[in-house]
Amino acid sequence: MEVTAAAGACCRGRGDHHAGEEERSSAKVVVPVGSDGAEVEPCVIAVDDSSVDRALVTALLRRSKYRVTAVDSGKRALEILGSEPNVSMIITDYWMPEMTGYDLLKKVKESSKLKQIPVVIMSSENVPTRITRCLEEGAEDFLLKPVRPSDISRITTRMLLH
C-alpha cells in the first residue's frame, strides 16, 4: 500500500490550523481555518491504484494550491477519513481492486460525519450508465481520464463558488 504523505499529515495543516472550520458554498467544501482566523489550503484525498494517475492528479491539485494526501485504495482513504477532520474533497478512481470508487462514494455519503465532503469520480472508461449512477449517488462530478488542468480548475472553482 503506497501513501504519498503520512496519514493525514497534509490535511492537518500546521500548528493548530484544524482548530476551526468554515463551511463555504452550498457544495459544502470545508475550508479549514487556523487559530488566527486565516484560511489554510484546502486538503484533498486523491485515491487511485495507478501510481501514474495518482501522481498526475496530485500534481494538478497541488498546482491549484490544494494540499493532497494520495493513497492507492478506497480502504486507505476511509482510514484517513476516520481520523482526519479537515478534508475538503475526495477525488477517486472508479475502478480499483477491493473497493471501487463507487463503493467509496456510497460509504462517504452514508456517513453522517463524512457526507458533506464532495466526492469526484474519475475513470478512463466513458460509460454513461456508470456516470449517471455515480452522480445520482451523490458524486459532485465525473471526470474522464486523463485528467486535465481544466478539469481540476472546473471542479475546484465550481465547488468554491456554489
Side-chain angles (χ1 to χ4, degrees), residues 41-79:
E41 293 173 324
C43 179
V44 177
I45 297 178
V47 189
D48 201 316
D49 60 316
S50 162
S51 60
V52 172
D53 289 332
R54 194 169 56 244
L56 172 63
V57 169
T58 297
L60 291 173
L61 286 164
R62 286 185 176 150
R63 259 191 244 153
S64 295
K65 305 299 182 209
Y66 280 82
R67 290 174 297 137
V68 181
T69 297
V71 297
D72 63 355
S73 71
K75 182 179 176 184
R76 183 72 183 117
L78 287 174
E79 290 172 6

Side-chain angles (χ1 to χ4, degrees), residues 78-126:
L78 287 174
E79 290 172 6
I80 291 171
L81 287 165
S83 63
E84 180 51 60
N86 292 326
V87 175
S88 301
M89 180 173 62
I90 300 163
I91 183 165
T92 181
D93 184 30
Y94 179 87
W95 196 249
M96 297 179 291
E98 291 184 39
M99 177 185 291
T100 67
Y102 178 75
D103 293 334
L104 175 59
L105 168 68
K106 283 176 52 175
K107 288 189 179 293
V108 167
K109 296 305 175 184
E110 290 169 357
S111 167
S112 61
K113 291 181 179 181
L114 304 175
K115 67 182 177 183
Q116 81 285 356
I117 301 172
V119 178
V120 175
I121 306 286
M122 54 187 175
S123 178
S124 57
E125 300 172 343
N126 187 357

Side-chain angles (χ1 to χ4, degrees), residues 3-24:
V3 180
T4 301
C10 82
C11 294
R12 290 203 177 130
R14 293 168 206 94
D16 196 26
H17 287 295
H18 64 282
E21 290 180 354
E22 171 186 308
E23 204 169 277
R24 179 194 283 179

